[in-house]
Amino acid sequence: MSTIFLLLILFLGFLITFQIAKASEYVGVLKGEKKNFEQHNRINGFLMIAFLVLGLIGVYWCNELYRGKILGESASVHGEQIDTMLYITIAITGVVFVITQVLLFWFAFKYQYSEKRKAYYFPHDNRLELIWTVVPAIALTVLVGFGLFYWFRITGEAPKGSLEVEVTGKQFGWIFRYPGKDNTFGKKYYKEINDNIGNQLGLVWDDPYTHDDIVVGNEMYIIKNQPVKLIINSRDVIHDVGLVHFRQKMDAVPGTPTTMWLIPKYTTDEMKVKLHNPDFEYELSCDQMCGRGHYTMRAVVKVVTPEEFILWKAKQKPNFVQVFPEKDPSTQPRIDTLPKNPTNAGL
């Protein structure tokens, strides 16, 4: 309701300003063209100052209104560094923005047309051009350097012992694969993909390493304070793994695996308490327009303790067993329960 009220005030303010301008135009016609021109200059000069003041107030008000409500605290170690880099960038560009806008609108007001003043023609100054070229170049080089440093850390080699999760995008959902007890991903081939039998990733069953690989959909489990390496793929078009709470994103490109890694700081339950939101969930979204169902392409990321992860993983069945349930070891009779050979019963 307050938003509608504010919009109405802005609309009425614009309407009043427009009517005043039209009235002054009619008065100018009656008084003469020269006086009308001078009056328009004065009105435009006043509006420049009004827009400057209202604009700066609006920027400050929006900042205070949405402070801490858009992204919130970073939930990864890398995210803290990304936030620091963004704050530095905003501080530098914010100072430049305020200075340039104040000068722009103030000069438009102060140096409006006057018969008593003649404009000074200032064609060229090497020193000024050097200053406003070199200073921004140095500032941008430093900012880009920090960005590349953090980017190479995120996309570089993950620490040894990291949890590895393969993330595959498809229209319109996410598929996650975990290695089994052998800690090795089995081979896959796109021609082996068959949704009808449950082989969504095209795992090659002739490779024994695929037999214990765990495949789940739309819910990824990772461990608090443990590095996790994401191996990102796409099954059809270009998607993008967007992890807004962890300040990370990476394209999922068909045929070209990409990687990034992170260290979660808080479990999902801890974030629910911190944000006072019992329904909170970490989100993995597709940040690349990928088709008509793009808006539905969302997965939940569960950050859990090591004990909770072990328990969750123990409950999962390998994809091989899901496709071939008759080969499930848990359903096979144990050797010590098989009936004894009657011919050897007396031996």
Side-chain angles (χ1 to χ4, degrees):
M1 191 66 184
S2 59
T3 303
I4 297 175
F5 183 66
L6 180 60
L7 292 174
L8 286 174
I9 292 176
L10 293 175
F11 175 74
L12 290 174
F14 172 78
L15 188 61
I16 292 170
T17 304
F18 177 77
Q19 292 299 330
I20 292 174
K22 292 299 290 183
S24 65
E25 183 179 347
Y26 295 141
V27 171
V29 172
L30 297 175
K31 289 183 177 181
E33 184 177 347
K34 183 178 179 181
K35 290 186 176 181
N36 183 41
F37 176 74
E38 293 175 351
Q39 190 174 20
H40 269 290
N41 269 349
R42 287 193 294 272
I43 292 174
N44 288 335
F46 170 77
L47 289 178
M48 286 291 183
I49 297 299
F51 289 153
L52 170 64
V53 174
L54 292 175
L56 293 178
I57 292 174
V59 170
Y60 176 79
W61 177 67
C62 286
N63 179 69
E64 291 299 313
L65 183 64
Y66 294 106
R67 184 192 295 272
K69 296 181 180 179
I70 298 177
L71 292 178
E73 182 182 357
S74 169
S76 72
V77 175
H78 286 154
E80 293 178 347
Q81 300 166 345
I82 297 296
D83 282 352
T84 300
M85 182 182 67
L86 290 176
Y87 290 143
I88 293 173
T89 302
I90 291 173
I92 294 173
T93 56
V95 170
V96 174
F97 170 81
V98 172
I99 293 174
T100 55
Q101 296 308 302
V102 169
L103 290 176
L104 174 66
F105 285 95
W106 173 249
F107 273 48
F109 169 76
K110 182 174 178 58
Y111 298 106
Q112 58 185 279
Y113 171 78
S114 173
E115 288 184 343
K116 301 177 182 180
R117 182 174 55 243
K118 184 178 180 180
Y120 174 68
Y121 180 62
F122 190 74
H124 185 70
D125 188 303
N126 287 332
R127 184 170 52 188
L128 281 178
E129 289 194 10
L130 188 65
I131 291 173
W132 68 53
T133 300
V134 172
V135 172
I138 293 175
L140 289 174
T141 300
V142 172
L143 293 177
V144 171
F146 276 113
L148 288 175
F149 174 75
Y150 291 132
W151 174 255
F152 287 137
R153 287 195 62 185
I154 293 170
T155 59
E157 191 60 36
K160 291 183 179 180
S162 299
L163 170 67
E164 292 190 352
V165 184
E166 186 183 79
V167 183
T168 302
K170 69 169 186 175
Q171 292 177 313
F172 296 97
W174 296 99
I175 307 168
F176 305 103
R177 179 164 69 137
Y178 296 81
K181 294 181 180 180
D182 55 18
N183 285 322
T184 304
F185 286 114
K187 295 179 181 178
K188 62 179 184 178
Y189 186 46
Y190 74 96
K191 288 188 177 181
E192 298 294 330
I193 294 175
N194 190 335
D195 289 335
N196 294 327
I197 65 172
N199 191 3
Q200 300 181 79
L201 298 178
L203 301 187
V204 179
W205 304 126
D206 292 338
D207 179 11
Y209 286 117
T210 64
H211 294 183
D212 62 353
D213 287 354
I214 297 170
V215 177
V216 295
N218 290 327
E219 197 169 68
M220 179 173 70
Y221 277 73
I222 56 179
I223 304 171
K224 174 187 174 181
N225 292 331
Q226 179 175 332
V228 53
K229 177 181 179 181
L230 303 181
I231 304 168
I232 301 168
N233 303 271
S234 173
R235 218 181 70 164
D236 34 50
V237 301
I238 295 178
H239 300 283
D240 188 281
V241 174
L243 297 166
V244 63
H245 300 100
F246 305 102
R247 308 294 195 267
Q248 292 187 291
K249 67 192 297 294
M250 176 66 72
D251 281 346
V253 184
T256 306
T258 52
T259 63
M260 64 179 179
W261 65 279
L262 61 105
I263 303 176
K265 293 196 306 179
Y266 309 111
T267 67
T268 301
D269 290 338
E270 288 172 342
M271 283 298 288
K272 289 179 179 180
V273 175
K274 286 177 67 69
L275 299 177
H276 306 289
N277 179 9
D279 299 322
F280 171 82
E281 295 288 357
Y282 290 114
E283 180 179 276
L284 189 159
S285 60
C286 179
D287 292 349
Q288 181 76 31
M289 188 64 70
C290 59
R292 295 178 62 184
H294 163 73
Y295 67 97
T296 65
M297 196 165 171
R298 175 184 178 274
V300 173
V301 180
K302 296 281 190 181
V303 180
V304 296
T305 63
E307 296 77 16
E308 291 173 325
F309 181 80
I310 293 172
L311 182 61
W312 170 82
K313 194 173 182 181
K315 295 179 180 178
Q316 308 305 309
K317 286 191 175 183
N319 194 208
F320 178 77
V321 171
Q322 294 176 344
V323 176
F324 304 104
E326 69 278 4
K327 297 183 180 182
D328 185 352
S330 64
T331 63
Q332 302 300 317
R334 292 172 54 184
I335 295 178
D336 56 356
T337 61
L338 291 175
K340 295 180 179 180
N341 190 336
T343 59
N344 298 329
L347 297 179

